[in-house]
Amino acid sequence: MGKRQRITLRQDQRLAGSEGLDRRLFLKRGLVLGSVAALGPSFKVHAEPDREAFPTWMREPGRTFSNYGQPSPHEKHAIRWISANPLAEGNGVSWTPLHDLAGMITPNSLHFERHHNGVPAIDPQQHRLQIDGLVRKPLIFSLQALLRYPRVSRLCFIECGGNSNAGWRPRPIQSRIGYFHGLVSCSEWTGVPLSLLLQEAGIDARAGWLIAEGADAAGISVSLPLAKALDDVIVALYQNGERIRPENGYPMRLVVPGWEGIVNVKWLRRLKLVSEPLMSRYETAKYTDLLPNGKARQFSFQMEAKSLITYPSPGFDLPEHGLYEIRGIAWSGAGRISRVDVSVDGGESWTAAELQGPVLPACLTRFRLPWRWRGQQAILLSRAVDESGYVQPTRQSLIEARGEHGYYHYNAMVSWQVSVKGWVSHVYV
Ligand SMILES: Nc1nc2c(c(=O)[nH]1)N[C@H]1C(S)=C(S)[C@@H](COP(=O)(O)O)O[C@H]1N2
Ligand SMILES: [Mo]
């Protein structure tokens, strides 16, 4: 499993108050108390239109009820961006538009997708989950049977091991952050604890791993250590309160909190207990990291701490000088985010951001910090620290540890440059 990288913070880095950054800025200036006038030139207050002229929606009855709600027609831009293989459309991804979202939960319609061979049209009546291999009593469950079992919820992110991999490219890509880092989404998954099902089957003492297989035509099979399977893994049936969406594994999927996407097998049909891992394509050719010494990192399941500033970010240029709330997300497969530091001077000095509660293990955690932009060129960075003490690496230290030719597991700090004109672009520092 991945070797942890630690960065020791110099005392001056820890204490420095970066130029224009101040956690109390909004409070001090009275914004929280509602006195916008006290802000002076920070915000332009626009003249109100004539309030006597009622708009049509105040004069006519509104539309009637709907069986299943849809977003406002004015929010049509908030979509998953699809990058599918033109020769095999079922293989590819669609990205969560992180730049359009707030809060910790990803709406089901915007959960990212990664399929190797499309979304299978499974008939839930015919679908079965089989547990066999090194067990005392092989079992087969119908969906109806599983729906009667005791349930738990896991609030957690699912992140593809290939998320953010454009960061490995020699030149910084310019795109909306969702279409660069949006192979991560966070949901409340509800289902049956896997430990319960395995105990019912009776675990043979020789079992150390299990092989999980999906019912899609890709025939995805991956190995999972039994210790994790017995810890917090669930066979999920619900996603944010409703039944799992077809693209996210309907009618059932594995949810493996904090571990890379590929082991969260969708359309789950079989769990086979074995003594040794399978060495399938997805744990040898894929999702492994060739290191500079010629050896490969394998079974690096746990997603390491990561953060990025969602606002400002490329696509959100700053229209005028004044107060801005720097906002972002941080997450770690190792547990809770304990701190996120923000820099506006390319990493010279750092200020701790405010974390939005509740801060939950393996969940997206929002951070924010007010910043006064006075028109100077700035480089914005965020750095996450998790409860294990792990510190998100700089791009340089990640490349030193892993070499220049990485493809998976990119979690380095991300930097945005704000030009004197307020244009925001992706840069490497
Ligand atoms: N059966 C099956 N399970 C699968 C996949 C797949 O193609 N088939 N893709 C995997 C990969 S690589 C990832 S990142 C996650 C993506 O989950 P999502 O599509 O619900 O976001 O599912 C994993 N489980
Ligand atoms: Mo993935």
Side-chain angles (χ1 to χ4, degrees), residues 163-409:
N163 193 23
S164 315
N165 69 8
W168 291 110
R169 294 189 200 169
R171 269 177 293 280
I173 64 153
Q174 305 299 336
S175 82
R176 301 309 303 266
I177 52 156
Y179 309 144
F180 174 8
H181 299 284
L183 300 184
V184 65
S185 303
C186 188
S187 304
E188 180 195 0
W189 299 97
T190 304
V192 184
L194 181 55
S195 57
L196 201 69
L197 303 177
L198 294 178
Q199 274 151 20
E200 191 170 344
I203 303 166
D204 186 302
R206 289 166 298 164
W209 291 75
L210 55 83
I211 300 168
E213 188 187 318
D216 49 335
I220 296 276
S221 290
V222 294
S223 312
L224 195 64
L226 188 57
K228 177 69 172 176
L230 292 173
D231 179 15
D232 56 357
V233 177
I234 65 169
V235 176
L237 307 168
Y238 291 81
Q239 174 180 3
N240 294 326
E242 64 179 0
R243 295 295 296 279
I244 294 184
R245 292 289 174 91
E247 52 268 45
N248 303 115
Y250 183 86
M252 59 186 73
R253 82 176 299 169
L254 275 189
V255 169
V256 186
W259 284 26
E260 70 181 338
I262 186 70
V263 293
N264 293 257
V265 173
K266 301 190 280 189
W267 315 298
L268 183 68
R269 71 175 292 272
R270 187 178 179 194
L271 294 164
K272 183 180 178 189
L273 276 73
V274 291
S275 54
E276 298 294 336
L278 180 65
M279 298 295 173
S280 76
R281 177 170 188 246
Y282 307 101
E283 55 209 44
T284 52
K286 308 285 174 187
Y287 300 107
T288 53
D289 306 295
L290 185 58
L291 300 177
N293 66 7
K295 302 219 171 191
R297 217 170 69 128
Q298 192 187 17
F299 299 123
S300 45
F301 293 120
Q302 189 175 280
M303 298 307 288
E304 291 178 316
K306 194 158 161 178
S307 70
L308 62 127
I309 292 171
T310 55
Y311 178 86
S313 67
F316 292 118
D317 292 333
L318 306 186
E320 60 196 16
H321 300 178
L323 267 184
Y324 289 90
E325 185 178 64
I326 294 178
R327 306 177 181 133
I329 42 177
W331 64 100
S332 167
R336 289 180 183 79
I337 290 296
S338 51
R339 206 176 78 227
V340 178
D341 301 317
V342 168
S343 173
V344 293
D345 54 15
E348 287 291 309
S349 58
W350 298 87
T351 303
E354 187 186 324
L355 301 184
Q356 174 181 296
V359 178
L360 301 177
C363 279
L364 295 188
T365 299
R366 293 274 160 185
F367 64 86
R368 44 180 115 258
L369 188 60
W371 174 48
R372 180 177 293 285
W373 182 57
R374 298 188 175 90
Q376 75 279 23
Q377 181 179 296
I379 293 185
L380 315 184
L381 282 159
S382 66
R383 171 177 69 192
V385 183
D386 70 24
E387 63 183 337
S388 77
Y390 177 90
V391 181
Q392 184 182 7
T394 60
R395 188 168 182 276
Q396 210 182 340
S397 61
L398 186 73
I399 286 175
E400 272 162 31
R402 301 252 214 90
E404 286 183 339
H405 305 291
Y407 185 78
Y408 298 105
H409 307 117

Side-chain angles (χ1 to χ4, degrees), residues 31-184:
L31 187 68
V32 170
L33 304 173
S35 161
V36 174
L39 285 168
S42 292
F43 291 93
K44 283 196 183 111
V45 180
H46 300 280
E48 279 281 294
D50 180 5
R51 299 307 291 167
E52 295 307 309
F54 291 116
T56 37
W57 57 84
M58 292 184 75
R59 288 186 273 112
E60 292 168 6
R63 144 169 95 54
T64 185
F65 306 93
S66 56
N67 290 117
Y68 199 90
Q70 297 293 321
S72 160
H74 303 288
E75 300 299 323
K76 282 202 161 62
H77 56 279
I79 52 163
R80 297 190 284 220
W81 191 262
I82 300 169
S83 326
N85 180 341
L87 299 176
E89 285 179 0
N91 189 6
V93 298
S94 74
W95 306 81
T96 293
L98 296 173
H99 45 277
D100 285 321
L101 302 180
M104 69 190 297
I105 296 295
T106 311
N108 289 347
S109 306
L110 296 175
H111 194 289
F112 84 96
E113 303 166 273
R114 170 73 181 109
H115 322 306
H116 290 77
N117 202 359
V119 180
I122 296 178
D123 173 1
Q125 300 300 326
Q126 287 181 50
H127 184 80
R128 296 288 180 273
L129 170 62
Q130 178 172 339
I131 299 184
D132 61 5
L134 296 173
V135 292
R136 274 197 293 282
K137 185 176 51 157
L139 297 173
I140 293 179
F141 300 91
S142 66
L143 178 62
Q144 288 313 313
L146 278 184
L147 284 167
R148 289 171 51 192
Y149 272 71
R151 286 180 192 165
V152 291
S153 272
R154 299 277 182 253
L155 278 119
C156 63
F157 68 79
I158 291 180
E159 181 179 21
C160 178
N163 193 23
S164 315
N165 69 8
W168 291 110
R169 294 189 200 169
R171 269 177 293 280
I173 64 153
Q174 305 299 336
S175 82
R176 301 309 303 266
I177 52 156
Y179 309 144
F180 174 8
H181 299 284
L183 300 184
V184 65

